[in-house]
Amino acid sequence: NAGVTQTPKFRVLKTGQSMTLLCAQDMNHEYMYWYRQDPGMGLRLIHYSVGEGTTAKGEVPDGYNVSRLKKQNFLLGLESAAPSQTSVYFCASGAGEKLFFGSGTQLSVL
Amino acid sequence: GNSVTQMEGPVTLSEEAFLTINCTYTATGYPSLFWYVQYPGEGLQLLLKATKADDKGSNKGFEATYRKETTSFHLEKGSVQVSDSAVYFCALSVYGQNFVFGPGTRLSVLP
């Protein structure tokens, strides 16, 4: 029972590089979310999706793009990474009022 | 807008001590309230929830009561164990969407 799977688990980028984080869920959930977790600030919503082909901005969307081409996958892209994007990124999928989280991606931008 | 405030950590307790982690919220509408727990190196997991005023959520010895009059949802456990060491997040959602999380409280339980 995989649940929510994130790849990669760790990544180091140089300023200006691009990358894509992949989130996959096998629970047939409509809702999917990308959060970032920073010390003392809890989780902040970057983007979310309410179904295949839909995306919406969250609290801190600048510098990120997302796509939901398939129901089970939600991709988070950084087109030109900046040191301010050093963080731990969590994907979640939702069924009603319960969220299921992946184990996170630790990203460092130098 | 909606927001969640939690007590600052870290909280360090001895095994079998009583735990309280305070949480208050501000919300429009009728929010559901949650406690999520994050163990080292893992994602968040739902610990308990309450969906209306005076409801009590409970799980694994943890309890929290939805207090509308004080807009609070404090987490309690009568006797903590070393395995309870984790970060605890209070959260709310309105109509099952757009969850808002508090900053988290780190708990360390010493043997």
Side-chain angles (χ1 to χ4, degrees), chain A residues 34-109:
Chain A
W34 275 107
Y35 290 90
R36 59 177 290 172
Q37 183 181 29
D38 301 293
M41 303 186 73
L43 275 72
R44 292 183 292 169
L45 182 64
I46 304 171
H47 286 280
Y48 66 100
S49 168
V50 301
E52 181 178 316
T54 73
T55 63
K57 295 180 179 180
E59 180 185 358
V60 289
D62 294 343
Y64 304 95
N65 57 75
V66 288
S67 65
R68 183 98 182 268
L69 297 179
K70 293 183 178 181
K71 186 177 184 179
Q72 64 268 34
N73 295 336
F74 194 31
L75 279 62
L76 178 71
L78 287 72
E79 291 185 346
S80 179
S84 61
Q85 294 177 304
T86 293
S87 187
V88 180
Y89 292 85
F90 286 100
C91 176
S93 68
E97 292 188 318
K98 183 174 182 178
L99 293 183
F100 296 80
F101 284 83
S103 58
T105 296
Q106 188 168 324
L107 175 65
S108 296
V109 183

Side-chain angles (χ1 to χ4, degrees), chain B:
Chain B
N2 299 337
S3 65
V4 174
T5 303
Q6 290 180 235
M7 63 186 292
E8 294 289 334
V11 174
T12 302
L13 296 174
S14 297
E15 206 165 24
E16 299 184 2
F18 184 85
L19 168 71
T20 299
I21 301 178
N22 291 337
C23 171
T24 57
Y25 67 90
T26 301
T28 55
Y30 301 95
S32 294
L33 303 175
F34 308 84
W35 279 99
Y36 278 80
V37 58
Q38 183 181 29
Y39 298 104
E42 298 182 9
L44 282 70
Q45 306 171 26
L46 179 64
L47 179 60
L48 53 85
K49 73 174 187 178
T51 58
K52 62 182 186 296
D54 300 324
D55 270 1
K56 177 185 284 188
S58 62
N59 186 25
K60 299 181 180 180
F62 291 89
E63 293 183 340
T65 301
Y66 190 144
R67 302 288 188 196
K68 186 177 179 181
E69 65 275 13
T70 55
T71 62
S72 64
F73 193 55
H74 305 322
L75 182 68
E76 296 182 336
K77 186 175 186 182
S79 177
V80 294
Q81 306 300 313
V82 172
S83 57
D84 294 326
S85 297
V87 181
Y88 292 82
F89 292 88
C90 187
L92 67 82
S93 76
V94 180
Y95 308 123
Q97 299 182 26
N98 294 345
F99 286 74
V100 175
F101 289 84
T105 301
R106 182 175 299 277
L107 170 66
S108 295
V109 180
L110 305 178

